[in-house]
Structures are given as C-alpha cells and as structure tokens.
Amino acid sequence: MKTDIRTRNNVRVLGRADGPVLLFAHGFGCDQGMWSRVLPRFTDEYKVVLFDHVGAGGSDLAAYTPAKYATLDGYVADVLELCEELDLQDVTFIGHSVSAMMAIAAGATAAERLARIILVAPSPSYMDYPEDGYEGGFSRADLDELLESLDTNYLVWAATMAPVIMGNPAVPALGTELEGSFCRVNPTIARQFARVAFLSDVRSLLHKVSVPTLIMQASADLLAPDHVGRYLQEHIPHSTLVQMEATGHLPHVSAPEETADIILGYLQQSE
C-alpha cells in the first residue's frame, strides 16, 4: 500500500493558511529541524511548508528504495508530488545544499508551480571538470576519498567533518549540533545520499531555469567556494547573487538573522 505523502515525507504546514507559499528543503545529513531558527521570521505572513526527504528525520524509512533514490530525480519527484498533493501554487522553493540542486532541477523542468527558487549555499557540482574549465572544489580523487572514509566508519566521518562543514570554529556547539544530525541518519541511507549529493551535476540545467533565482553564497564555505556562486549567477538567466557575511555551509543555522533578512528582502522586492 502506498504511503500518504504527508506521512512519507513528514510534511508540516505552518503560518498563514492563505499566505504566499515557502517550501523549505534541507540538505544532506539534516532534516527540517535545521530551518527552525529562521522560521519565526516567516510564519506571520507566509504559508510555510516543511518536509523531510525520505530517509531523513521523521520520514517513513520503509518508503526508501535504493533504486528510486539513487539519483536526484527521485527526490525531485517527491517534491513535485508534494506540491501537487497540497495543491501549492506560486511556490518559492528554498533549497539548501543538495536541495539547491533539486530546486534547480525543478526550476528547469517543472516551473509551472514555482514563482521563484532560493538557493542556500548551493553548488551545481562539487566535482571539478577540468575538461570544461569548471572548478567545483573537489577532484574525483578527493570525493572518492571522502566517500570511502564515510563508508569505512560513518560515525567517525560525521565527528570529523561536521565542524569543518559547519565552518564556525568559534562556536563549537554548532558543529556538535550538525554531528548529531548526521548521526541520526541511517548510515546505509546516508552513504547513498552522500553519493547523490557529492556526485550529481546539474550544470546542464542552469540555462533552462526559467524562474527568478536568488543565490545565497556563504563566505568561507568549504563545499561551495565563492567562485561557484559567481558561476551560478553567470549561467542562470534571471538570477541574483548575494554574498553573505555568514561563514560555513549552513548559514541558516549559524547566521539565522542574516539568512532571514536576505530571503525576506528578496521576497519583498520580487512580489
């Protein structure tokens, strides 16, 4: 029997029932709880839709199948199904990290439900493609080593990488929080989702994105260097790039006020 999508993806709807729709999508090793610091800024005026990707948070783990979720397509299909099931129109899709890739895919192939997309700490490909002159920040050997270490001992990988990815050494509690989030994910699912996140390449879709796009480039982001944000702006037609003061790969966690200010400013300008 097919699981209801609200259960499958642990969907929550907050805020103003008749407000403009904001759909928040979390990154690898996280769940919808990572948005909690910014939500109070939006729930008075907006209809806020939160969910967990299958395999994360409070999603239905029984709905996870390696075949469906071996590529971004399975996750994008879930997002579009969610929009259809809830009859969401003129959606602002706010995607962090790998979910920014999903937002790009949705903006390129299924823009009829979207008003705009907002990409938080995005990259179209983490891997370098020297033959194209593209620098994602990691060679294939780098990524193979990262994934091998993740496969060998996921908990050690989480403890080592979480503070580096968070990128706020002066506030070690934030790295500890991310480590805890990583460790709540089933390791088998985490290994496959890591491959989806780190090996996907959506560069070919960028020119097809037809909706207005905000690119939120964090500073000193190990996974998405500054030049990647500029690359996105150059290749997405109707895009705006904002360089954030926030450091690290999770600005909505480490700098929620700045993150909310930028999103709200963009929404007010474009509505």
Side-chain angles (χ1 to χ4, degrees), residues 5 11 21 38-39 51 54 59 66 69 71 80 95 99 116 119-120 139 147 172 193-194 201 208 215 230 232 270:
I5 191 167
V11 177
V21 179
V38 301
L39 293 184
F51 70 98
V54 171
S59 67
Y69 296 107
T71 68
L80 297 177
S99 283
R116 61 191 68 79
L119 312 177
V120 181
S139 68
L147 294 169
F193 196 24
D201 180 4
K208 300 178 182 177
I215 301 157
R230 293 192 295 272
L232 285 165
S270 59

Side-chain angles (χ1 to χ4, degrees), residues 179-192:
E179 179 188 350
S181 181
F182 284 168
C183 293
R184 288 193 294 274
V185 182
N186 177 294
T188 301
I189 294 174
R191 291 184 188 106
Q192 182 155 344

Side-chain angles (χ1 to χ4, degrees), residues 6-11 26 30-33 51-61 184:
R6 296 169 192 255
T7 302
R8 184 188 73 197
N9 287 94
N10 189 29
V11 177
H26 64 82
C30 299
D31 58 32
Q32 60 182 268
F51 70 98
D52 295 326
H53 290 302
V54 171
S59 67
D60 179 8
L61 297 187
R184 288 193 294 274

Side-chain angles (χ1 to χ4, degrees), residues 64-91:
Y64 186 88
T65 60
K68 176 176 179 180
Y69 296 107
T71 68
L72 281 177
D73 295 344
Y75 294 98
V76 175
D78 281 357
V79 172
L80 297 177
E81 184 184 344
L82 188 161
C83 290
E84 184 176 352
E85 175 66 24
L86 273 61
D87 193 25
L88 304 177
Q89 305 291 339
D90 297 323
V91 176

Side-chain angles (χ1 to χ4, degrees), residues 62-197:
Y64 186 88
T65 60
K68 176 176 179 180
Y69 296 107
T71 68
L72 281 177
D73 295 344
Y75 294 98
V76 175
D78 281 357
V79 172
L80 297 177
E81 184 184 344
L82 188 161
C83 290
E84 184 176 352
E85 175 66 24
L86 273 61
D87 193 25
L88 304 177
Q89 305 291 339
D90 297 323
V91 176
T92 297
F93 184 170
I94 303 170
H96 169 241
S97 194
V98 66
S99 283
M101 291 180 171
M102 298 173 202
I104 288 166
T109 62
E112 61 275 2
R113 286 197 180 269
L114 302 180
R116 61 191 68 79
I117 60 176
I118 295 177
L119 312 177
V120 181
S123 174
S125 170
Y126 295 105
M127 189 160 67
D128 299 335
Y129 286 88
E131 65 275 20
D132 299 338
Y134 174 77
E135 296 181 14
F138 298 88
S139 68
R140 180 65 203 233
D142 291 335
L143 291 177
D144 285 345
E145 183 179 343
L146 182 152
L147 294 169
E148 184 180 346
S149 67
L150 188 152
D151 289 345
T152 302
N153 192 321
Y154 179 64
L155 296 182
V156 170
W157 179 89
T160 303
M161 290 302 298
V164 178
I165 291 171
M166 180 59 75
N168 281 262
V171 191
L174 293 176
T176 302
E177 180 180 345
L178 183 59
E179 179 188 350
S181 181
F182 284 168
C183 293
R184 288 193 294 274
V185 182
N186 177 294
T188 301
I189 294 174
R191 291 184 188 106
Q192 182 155 344
F193 196 24
R195 282 165 171 75
V196 173

